[in-house]
Amino acid sequence: MIRDLERILGPANRGALRAYLAWLASYAVLQGVAMTLLVPVLDALLRRDTGEALRWIAVMAAVVAATCVARYVQAMKGFGLSLTTLGTLHERLGDHVARLPLGWFSSETTGRLSRSATGGVLTVTSVTAHLLEPVVSGILTPATIAVALFFLDWRLGLTAVLCVPLIVLTHRWSAAAVGRGEERADAAATVAASRVVEYARNQQTLRAFGRATGGYQPLEDAIAAQRTAGGRWLAETFPKILAGGLAVQLAFGALITVGVLLATGDAIEPVRLIALLALTARFTGPLAEVSGRAGALRMAGNDMRRIADILAERPLEEPERSQPLTAPGEIEFDRVGFGYRPGEPVLREVSFRVPAHTMTAVVGPSGAGKTTLTRLIARFFDADTGTVRVGGADVRELSSEDLMAQLSLVFQDVYLFNDTLEANIRVGRPDATEAEVREAARLAGVDEIVARLPQGWETRVGEGGMSLSGGERQRVSVARAVLKRAPIVLLDEATAALDPENEQYVQRALRTLMAHSTLLVIAHKLPTVVAADQILVLDDGGVAESGTHEELLAADGRYTAFWNERRRGEGWRLVPASSDTGGPRP
């Protein structure tokens, strides 16, 4: 748990954490010493030796004063660590997650990250502010008292030590049960949270098929599983927590029994026994508190472990200094192999070169690895074998900042932030002038959208750009790329699902991009393919053919089959129902 806390707080706060733990341990030990001093005080008072009692009271007062100082210092240091955690952990998580490979992200890990960034962070802050102090005191204070009992009466000290295994075993048993139950409940809650988000985001699809009002079975199943996991957790852990408290009381009973037997056998004076029994009560009291907090401690430990695991995820390695670009605007794949899962390659020995200031179209069937090419160029993942070069440099030898400065990405699925149109376009280049933003918007047809909106440029587009159509969102995405003016532009089926009007605007912007950038386009539309300087045909994880449109048609290979299929598809049209055939015809 302490190791996880060190990883969460980071190297910069390691010294502060150790200072806090040192003061906390000092406070717990001093508290045990102060309680031990009750024995000689009570012994002297019961023997009516006022002088000796006053001397011991003076010593105890000094120890109590030191205990108060230690308690204050450790409390302030604990609160300071909590405030540091609250102020920096979200930023650390965000910075770390931003450097993780895209393959790390899934619905499960995203749900886990969301829960850790909210409830998990609050749990970590409560550990140093509230939870750790009673737990450490509940262990070190009784340990100090047990050591003192050996000096005061070795038989009671031995009894206390012999009770420790029973207390520790029951504590670990109950804490482990709480931890296992909490992990199951947390996993079920994470799935349920993901299903809620899924249900909310896919209302359009659900309503289209009449599934919005009759319930969504995956969500209902997840909620039922969460309820079952919570009930099972309570049923399994409650008896074990009671057993932990019972073990502490049994230890106290054993100490009283041994003390009474010693007193009845004249092995100890009754007056001294009373003082020692008062001390044994302070031995079992903190242990009972630790037992009661076992569940909270284990749950906090689970939350910290989950956050520590996220921070321990290995980010993409970056060089201290980027390799110089020897061929700006050029893309090269050199015998690249890659798979999203071990043993399931998507690309095999892929090699090709995209010269600067040219347009290359990538075609092929679904699952051939077209989108994977763009992801490897942008280094969302690292290639398993071979080398991907941008501007003549291995992408692994470029910092993320330098690599992204070379690239603009335009994908079919566009995400717009809940901000104004202008702010969403400025994502491409935040320091662009107003005139540059307006010109990029004009080339992509966004100015036509602005003219129709009630607040013009200041219109907020909603989360994900929900107030715009898919084609309009695509125009904004292309405007970002135009504004950035990167040497290389990657377009993943950017025009595949656009209507003629939106496609016209996007194609105009692409012609502008071709004037100063290298374009790698994953294309399905024939005009885009024909306009390319080079066409790559991907199939079964490799480059099956490459060349110009005329060269590939003359080869009469897979590209020819693709071309003919597309031509036939574009030649079909719908005719009125009153026609002779009453259906589609070529």
Side-chain angles (χ1 to χ4, degrees), residues 122 127 134 152 192 215 233 286 320 336 369 441 455 555:
L122 292 178
V127 167
L152 297 172
W233 179 24
E320 293 183 4
V336 171
Q455 294 178 295

Side-chain angles (χ1 to χ4, degrees), residues 73 290 316 334 408 451:
V73 174
V290 171
L316 288 173
D334 184 8
S408 282

Side-chain angles (χ1 to χ4, degrees), residues 118-136:
T118 52
V121 171
L122 292 178
T123 298
V124 173
T125 60
S126 71
V127 167
T128 51
H130 307 294
L131 185 59
L132 210 54
E133 184 269 319
V135 171
V136 172

